[in-house]
Amino acid sequence: MENPLLVLAGAADRWRSAQLSPELEAAARRAILDWFATTLPGSREEASLALLRAVQLEDTPGRSICYADDATRSPRAAALLNATASHIVEFDDIFRDGGYHPGSSTIAAALALAQHLNRPLADLHRAIIGGYEVGCRISLAVQPSHYVFWHTTATIGTMGAATACAILLGCDADKIAHAISIASSFAGGHQQNLKNGGMAKALHAGHAADAGMLAAFAASSGMTGSPDALHGKTGYAAATSASTGDWVSALKGLGEWTPIEHMTIKNHGCCGHIFPALDGLRLLRQQHGFTWRDISSIRLDGYDATKSMCDRPNPQNASDARFGAQYCICAGMVLGAVRLNAFEDVALSHPDIRALMAKVTVGVDPALASLYPKQRMAKLAVQLTDGRSFDHLQETRKGDPEDPLSMEELVQKFDELAGAVLPEPQIAALRTRILASSELPQQAGFFAQPNVGQG
């Protein structure tokens, strides 16, 4: 077997000067638009503002834009803050087969560094594509066992961000390999901080962007890492998964297909493991005309993560609720959708949602569990108060490559989420700049100054 680190670094090096097809350029633009859609509302959440107050204690001025306060900061600080913001409202993109959110850290790091270096937009696109390529393929090598204890976005996101930044710094294949190797020692973020509330999950993405950029700076300046960092007997895969990595599968098709063209764009503002249940219930309601008032019971059976991550019968805050199958199912039925307003205080304490949650149970179906992560399905058993019952197998998720959001739907998502922060003229200007301009998204002055003082 060829050394996977060197193979991936060589692939990333080729993206430095690759001529992008119209399809690849469009994929990069879609990824950036979706990143802004989830970052802008996240920048106003308390987790973002708390981190901003912490960063203000020591940060120095720079040319990279922090969207939490619309100020220019050092590239590492901007990457840290923006990646954290992008992961808060649970709308960021997914590489389904690797169980990995590449955009939050990779785009945050690449955009901040491109702004700092004043690099052309095409260079930003190439860096993002290369960062997605490396990160997504590493996720294929270590999943699904990696996810038992480790948060993929926190860990592998570090190496995706390092790759994108190394590309922007002009590193050759050798230095890109060192950047990835160094980043593998910075990669951390355990599963317990995805549970029991708290804000640390969002910071996982921020740390990945920051640490990945540091690894790229170090490699660009001559620091080296082990060439066996990914696949060695005591390397990254061995330390964080059940083996030294399935690199044959991970590298299959390299040069034939590109991960950024096979992304899931989230259609609901919650954990993706809940999506098949939400989509299946919406279909059943459309077909049979019942409402939440007609529910006697709902049984959801999914794969292991459906139960271990999302069986949360009594979430007490927005962070927990975004991962609660019971809450999201009931909020979706009562409110009509699981969007930003589903996690406001008035919704979290809504008596109809809370009463309905007691009627929802969550379990595991062994057949569905055996198909994870490449297939993420849900079995639903719905019992109505009038005696009718419906069984349904939801085999797809809206937003996955098999059932993608249309460009119109993606723009609607962007306009809705950005509209929580920006007035319509500024939404339109940013959308046009991302989708149609040849210039880097680099202007500041979008927002009124938020209250980020102590207290």
Side-chain angles (χ1 to χ4, degrees):
M1 180 184 72
E2 290 186 84
N3 184 317
L5 174 61
L6 302 184
V7 172
L8 289 169
D13 181 47
R14 289 189 288 275
W15 286 118
R16 285 200 301 146
S17 58
Q19 183 67 37
L20 300 184
S21 67
E23 292 78 13
L24 265 177
E25 181 183 331
R29 289 181 184 272
R30 286 196 303 270
I32 295 170
L33 186 77
D34 197 54
W35 181 85
F36 270 102
T38 191
T39 300
L40 295 179
S43 71
R44 292 299 179 268
E45 295 285 331
E46 179 54 31
S48 284
L49 301 181
L51 185 61
L52 178 59
R53 291 191 291 268
V55 168
Q56 285 175 331
L57 297 175
E58 65 173 4
D59 189 36
T60 56
R63 294 186 292 274
S64 305
I65 301 168
C66 165
Y67 295 100
D69 65 349
D70 206 28
T72 51
R73 300 187 177 280
S74 68
R76 284 184 57 194
L80 170 69
L81 289 160
N82 293 336
T84 298
S86 76
H87 201 50
I88 292 173
V89 298
E90 292 295 334
F91 263 113
D92 44 338
D93 63 7
I94 308 169
F95 181 59
R96 180 194 58 196
D97 292 358
Y100 167 49
H101 299 274
S104 52
S105 54
T106 303
I107 294 178
L111 180 60
L113 187 55
Q115 290 170 338
H116 181 72
L117 299 175
N118 196 26
R119 296 295 292 270
L121 180 64
D123 286 358
L124 173 63
H125 289 165
R126 291 187 184 96
I128 291 170
I129 293 167
Y132 272 53
E133 180 89 68
V134 170
C136 291
R137 290 188 180 277
I138 293 174
S139 74
L140 289 175
V142 300
Q143 287 286 59
S145 61
H146 181 81
Y147 201 66
V148 173
F149 293 105
W150 299 98
H151 181 204
T152 327
T153 303
T155 56
I156 295 165
T158 313
M159 290 173 269
T163 302
C165 291
I167 290 172
L168 284 167
L169 290 169
C171 294
D172 59 15
D174 183 59
K175 287 188 174 182
I176 293 172
H178 288 304
I180 298 168
S181 177
I182 294 166
S184 73
S185 279
F186 296 165
H190 57 75
Q191 281 284 335
Q192 195 62 48
N193 265 328
L194 275 63
K195 304 173 183 178
N196 311 116
M199 300 177 182
K201 178 179 184 290
L203 184 55
H204 283 183
H207 172 263
D210 177 21
M213 189 181 296
L214 174 59
F217 283 155
S220 176
S221 299
M223 185 167 284
T224 61
S226 168
D228 299 328
L230 296 183
H231 74 292
K233 290 183 179 180
T234 56
Y236 187 74
T240 63
S241 69
S243 70
T244 55
D246 182 4
W247 298 104
V248 173
S249 296
L251 300 176
K252 185 177 180 180
L254 188 66
E256 299 171 7
W257 65 273
T258 307
I260 202 168
E261 294 184 289
H262 294 80
M263 299 303 301
T264 293
I265 302 299
K266 279 192 168 187
N267 195 40
H268 309 288
C270 61
C271 177
H273 299 312
I274 308 171
F275 284 17
L278 296 175
D279 292 342
L281 278 169
R282 178 175 293 178
L283 180 61
L284 284 175
R285 292 170 67 195
Q286 290 171 348
Q287 290 175 342
H288 302 288
F290 62 86
T291 73
W292 64 269
R293 293 180 175 87
D294 303 313
I295 297 295
S296 175
S297 67
I298 298 174
R299 171 74 184 187
L300 161 62
D301 287 305
Y303 42 91
D304 290 341
T306 313
K307 175 74 174 175
S308 64
M309 291 290 297
C310 302
D311 184 11
R312 305 189 187 198
N314 190 29
Q316 295 301 303
N317 53 50
S319 177
D320 255 356
R322 288 186 174 102
F323 280 79
Q326 292 91 335
Y327 178 81
C328 291
I329 284 171
C330 298
M333 296 187 74
V334 173
L335 303 177
V338 183
R339 312 298 280 189
L340 293 177
N341 68 335
F343 304 99
E344 296 174 355
D345 288 344
V346 65
L348 292 170
S349 60
H350 196 298
D352 293 332
I353 295 174
R354 287 286 168 174
L356 189 59
M357 287 169 59
K359 301 178 181 181
V360 180
T361 55
V362 180
V364 175
D365 182 278
L368 302 190
S370 69
L371 300 172
Y372 175 82
K374 292 189 175 182
Q375 290 181 266
R376 302 185 182 207
M377 301 189 287
K379 285 185 177 179
L380 293 165
V382 179
Q383 182 74 40
L384 304 185
T385 55
D386 64 7
R388 288 183 294 164
S389 62
F390 308 104
D391 294 320
H392 175 71
L393 174 63
Q394 182 66 25
E395 299 183 79
T396 61
R397 303 185 304 180
K398 178 67 175 176
D400 273 344
E402 297 82 5
D403 188 13
L405 295 188
S406 67
M407 192 64 205
E408 180 182 10
E409 290 171 323
L410 176 56
V411 168
Q412 288 173 348
K413 173 185 172 180
F414 170 79
D415 289 353
E416 175 192 342
L417 270 63
V421 176
L422 300 178
E424 195 282 330
Q426 293 176 340
I427 295 170
L430 180 58
R431 183 196 326 118
T432 299
R433 192 173 186 104
I434 294 168
L435 292 179
S437 174
S438 60
E439 298 180 5
L440 197 69
Q442 193 159 359
Q443 70 274 40
F446 269 133
F447 317 120
Q449 184 83 0
N451 179 14
V452 296
Q454 298 292 336

